[in-house]
Amino acid sequence: MSEQNQNTNTDQVFIFDTTLRDGEQSPGATMTFEEKLQVAELLDDMGVDIIEAGFPIASNGDFEAVAEISRRSKNSVIAGLARAIPADIDRAAEAVRFANRGRIHTFVSTSPIHLAHQMRKTQDEVLEIVTKTVTQARNLIDDVEWSGMDATRTPIDFLAKCVEAAINAGATTINIPDTVGYAVPDEYYNMIKTLIETVPNSDKAIFSTHCHNDLGLAVANSLAGVQAGARQVECTINGLGERAGNAALEEIVMAIKTRGDTLPYHTEIDSTHLARASKIVAAASNFNVQFNKAIVGKNAFAHESGIHQDGMLKNAETYEIMTPESVGIKATSLVMGKHSGRHAFKEKLKELGYELGDNAFQEAFQRFKELADRKKHVYDEDLVALVDDEMGSVEDKIKLVSMSVSTSTGGAHQCDLVLSIEGDQKSVSVTGTGSVDAIFNAIKEAVGADPHLVLYGVDAVTGGTDAQANAHVRLEMDGKIASGRTAEPDTLVASARAYLNAYNRLLVERGASAQGAMAG
């Protein structure tokens, strides 16, 4: 029995983070190799019990990321996802074999609608698949998780047979996914409780929740599952995930921490890392966090109402059930300027949670000095945006060299643009109906491609007229979606660089070279 399963009867809830796997399946949320390593390192440091690092058979890139995360992990179990297919399971085992503690997470559909229309298998055939594939995985590694896809739309009797078969074959964790976000809390509670109470060998495995947010109930369902006896929760930073997303890790953790009276459990998560984790994942995935997002949104601890402000001044507990500091949110501070040196800059980055290599540090410091020359006050948020931007664009093959935009009221808008495309420079001059339209048209002409603009937005990193503009762009081409973002004091430059960052990610998604894309 695994070390984790020896704790089945305790009140600890194990946190299984799938940001790098299920979260990355959100259209446009693809992360670079370096970004995946950065996210995994933070998850490991903050106390995540299990990191689902990817789907190793999906691509060579996914395999390499899971393998490298396995090599670097200090504390977390590293899991690789595998369909109920022998080749998938072998590939997952190969990727996680470098970890101090590895896990194979294999799944198969169980609901009638999936069996009839997706798998075209009978229930008996599925039971045979469960036994065969879990046995294969257990022969390769001690820690095996089994999931019944679309479990909440599966008849409970058949689901119980699948669970029993998986445990008999060696599964140490049983995951009951609400794959399409269909369940409500009472229903999910009863399903978990029934399985634990009726499956003969249920005491030999930890039961797990994996809830999607299609009806906005992912966190509520997950906590209901815990109350029913589940001791693992699968979740993502910021609730990132396909469709409406997954249960949000930060909400699960803080609900348990804050409401010990009704949720008498604990996790090993250091909650002071939550705000930082939210920012890193938002930057890496290019998915902004909504302002009113629980726990980590900009407005989560903001009070505008006069009554609320009065209460807060008298006693913070009148309108705050947790402190900003408990999730790692600090007041903005003015600490850096154009006269700050390398040592002060490095110490500030450490305080903000960054440890950069020599080359990355030198590049970040140079950008900081350039920013300090252009911006009166450099806030913590500016430094976070600067470093996240640098890390997100380090692998870009197409980069902005120079740009000039001319505008006139009611007249033409023109962009003169120079790009570096894998070392070669390309110059174009293009007009548009507006400044941003002209910029995007110029980039499309320079790279020789016309991706569909799915989303474009700009917001300010901090207050003030000299605030950096945080631009985000989402592009679609040939069925692939990628997002890009960047922060710059100049809104038009930020827009151009965000577009290029998204296009570079599209090239990675399509497996194309920059020169090949330009030629095609």
Side-chain angles (χ1 to χ4, degrees):
M1 186 176 293
S2 71
E3 176 184 341
Q4 182 181 331
N5 284 322
Q6 294 174 13
N7 296 303
T8 303
N9 295 321
T10 72
D11 291 326
Q12 179 177 352
V13 174
F14 295 95
I15 298 299
F16 177 113
D17 183 276
T18 184
T19 302
L20 295 172
R21 200 279 300 171
D22 202 338
E24 205 201 14
Q25 288 179 204
S26 185
T30 301
M31 302 179 200
T32 66
F33 182 79
E34 291 299 328
E35 286 168 339
K36 289 180 181 180
L37 297 184
Q38 180 192 19
V39 171
E41 182 179 6
L42 177 60
L43 296 175
D44 194 39
D45 289 343
M46 70 189 285
V48 167
D49 299 288
I50 306 99
I51 299 171
E52 188 165 54
F55 193 178
I57 206 164
S59 68
N60 288 334
D62 237 34
F63 175 86
E64 292 300 332
V66 176
E68 187 59 28
I69 290 168
S70 296
R71 291 186 186 96
R72 297 189 182 197
S73 173
K74 303 182 188 73
N75 306 303
S76 303
V77 174
I78 305 301
L81 186 70
R83 294 167 297 183
I85 298 173
D88 279 40
I89 293 169
D90 287 341
R91 190 69 165 159
E94 188 181 353
V96 303
R97 68 186 173 90
F98 304 102
N100 292 327
R101 294 184 294 159
R103 173 182 294 188
I104 295 173
H105 178 196
T106 184
F107 68 96
V108 68
S109 292
T110 56
S111 69
I113 191 169
H114 278 219
L115 267 59
H117 300 287
Q118 186 173 9
M119 292 194 66
R120 302 185 186 279
K121 300 287 186 183
T122 66
Q123 290 187 350
D124 287 342
E125 288 173 322
V126 169
L127 284 169
E128 184 179 345
I129 290 170
V130 171
T131 298
K132 182 178 179 180
T133 54
V134 172
T135 298
Q136 177 193 353
R138 187 56 190 267
N139 285 336
L140 295 169
I141 200 165
D142 289 338
D143 191 345
V144 176
E145 176 172 340
W146 176 82
S147 291
M149 189 159 68
D150 204 21
T152 53
R153 294 194 295 175
T154 300
I156 191 68
D157 290 344
F158 177 60
L159 185 60
K161 290 178 181 178
C162 291
V163 170
E164 183 177 1
I167 297 175
N168 283 339
T172 49
T173 301
I174 297 295
N175 183 43
I176 308 300
D178 186 22
T179 304
V180 294
Y182 181 72
V184 296
D186 285 350
E187 183 178 40
Y188 194 69
Y189 173 94
N190 289 329
M191 176 171 278
I192 297 290
K193 188 173 179 62
T194 298
L195 291 171
I196 291 175
E197 290 179 349
T198 61
V199 173
N201 52 5
S202 66
D203 61 321
K204 293 183 172 66
I206 285 179
F207 279 72
S208 173
T209 73
H210 181 115
C211 298
H212 281 264
N213 206 38
D214 298 71
L215 294 176
L217 296 171
V219 170
N221 283 334
S222 299
L223 294 174
V226 170
Q227 290 176 312
R231 286 297 177 269
Q232 175 179 290
V233 174
E234 304 196 359
C235 45
T236 61
I237 301 294
N238 296 336
L240 189 67
E242 54 188 333
R243 303 188 317 277
N246 291 271
L249 181 149
E250 60 276 4
E251 295 176 27
I252 296 290
V253 168
M254 292 310 293
I256 290 173
K257 184 172 182 176
T258 305
R259 291 305 309 274
D261 53 336
T262 60
L263 298 168
Y265 319 107
H266 71 277
T267 74
E268 293 299 311
I269 300 295
D270 182 348
S271 65
T272 61
H273 286 69
L274 293 176
R276 183 76 203 104
S278 173
K279 288 182 174 67
I280 285 179
V281 170
S285 64
N286 293 301
F287 270 58
N288 286 345
V289 177
Q290 65 195 62
F291 281 17
N292 63 336
K293 167 76 174 63
I295 314 300
V296 292
K298 282 187 177 181
N299 290 351
F301 295 94
H303 303 271
E304 185 170 336
S305 161
I307 295 175
H308 285 210
Q309 289 176 346
D310 179 65
M312 285 292 297
L313 290 171
K314 293 173 179 174
N315 187 326
E317 291 184 5
T318 53
Y319 289 101
E320 282 188 354
I321 60 174
M322 67 196 89
T323 65
E325 291 79 12
S326 69
V327 299
I329 295 175
K330 302 186 301 179
T332 298
S333 56
L334 283 172
V335 293
M336 302 297 292
K338 64 182 181 179
H339 298 299
S340 299
R342 281 179 170 79
H343 179 72
F345 182 65
K346 180 171 285 188
E347 289 303 309
K348 186 59 182 175
L349 292 186
K350 285 183 181 179
E351 180 185 322
L352 294 172
Y354 292 103
E355 293 275 356
L356 302 182
D358 290 341
N359 291 339
F361 173 78
Q362 292 302 330
E363 291 175 4
F365 182 71
Q366 182 59 39
R367 285 199 61 193
F368 158 68
K369 297 296 281 188
E370 292 170 0
L371 177 64
D373 281 337
R374 301 167 65 187
K375 193 175 187 295
K376 186 182 299 183
H377 300 305
V378 179
Y379 296 85
D380 288 357
E381 290 92 336
D382 290 313
L383 298 180
V384 169
L386 183 152
V387 178
D388 287 343
D389 178 31
E390 189 70 34
M391 296 183 72
S393 61
V394 69
E395 298 178 12
D396 286 357
K397 297 180 179 180
I398 305 176
K399 297 187 177 184
L400 179 66
V401 176
S402 65
M403 183 180 76
S404 174
V405 181
S406 59
T407 66
S408 63
T409 304
H413 299 255
Q414 181 169 316
C415 176
D416 298 308
L417 182 78
V418 180
L419 297 183
S420 171
I421 304 176
E422 292 186 329
D424 297 332
Q425 290 198 357
K426 179 72 178 289
S427 302
V428 295
S429 182
V430 179
T431 59
T433 57
S435 299
V436 174
D437 185 53
I439 292 168
F440 291 176
N441 287 343
I443 294 173
K444 288 189 287 187
E445 179 166 320
V447 300
D450 188 10
H452 171 61
L453 180 63
V454 178
L455 178 148
Y456 165 67
V458 179
D459 54 58
V461 173
T462 60
T465 56
D466 64 348
Q468 288 195 92
N470 187 11
H472 37 101
V473 168
R474 190 168 302 154
L475 302 176
E476 180 178 12
M477 187 165 60
D478 298 335
K480 303 291 186 181
I481 298 177
S483 299
R485 67 189 295 162
T486 195
E488 279 274 354
D490 188 294
T491 302
L492 296 182
V493 174
S495 300
R497 292 186 61 222
Y499 191 102
L500 286 169
N501 186 229
Y503 185 73
N504 276 286
R505 289 170 184 256
L506 268 181
L507 292 181
V508 173
E509 279 283 279
R510 297 168 67 221
S513 71
Q515 292 287 359
M518 181 180 71

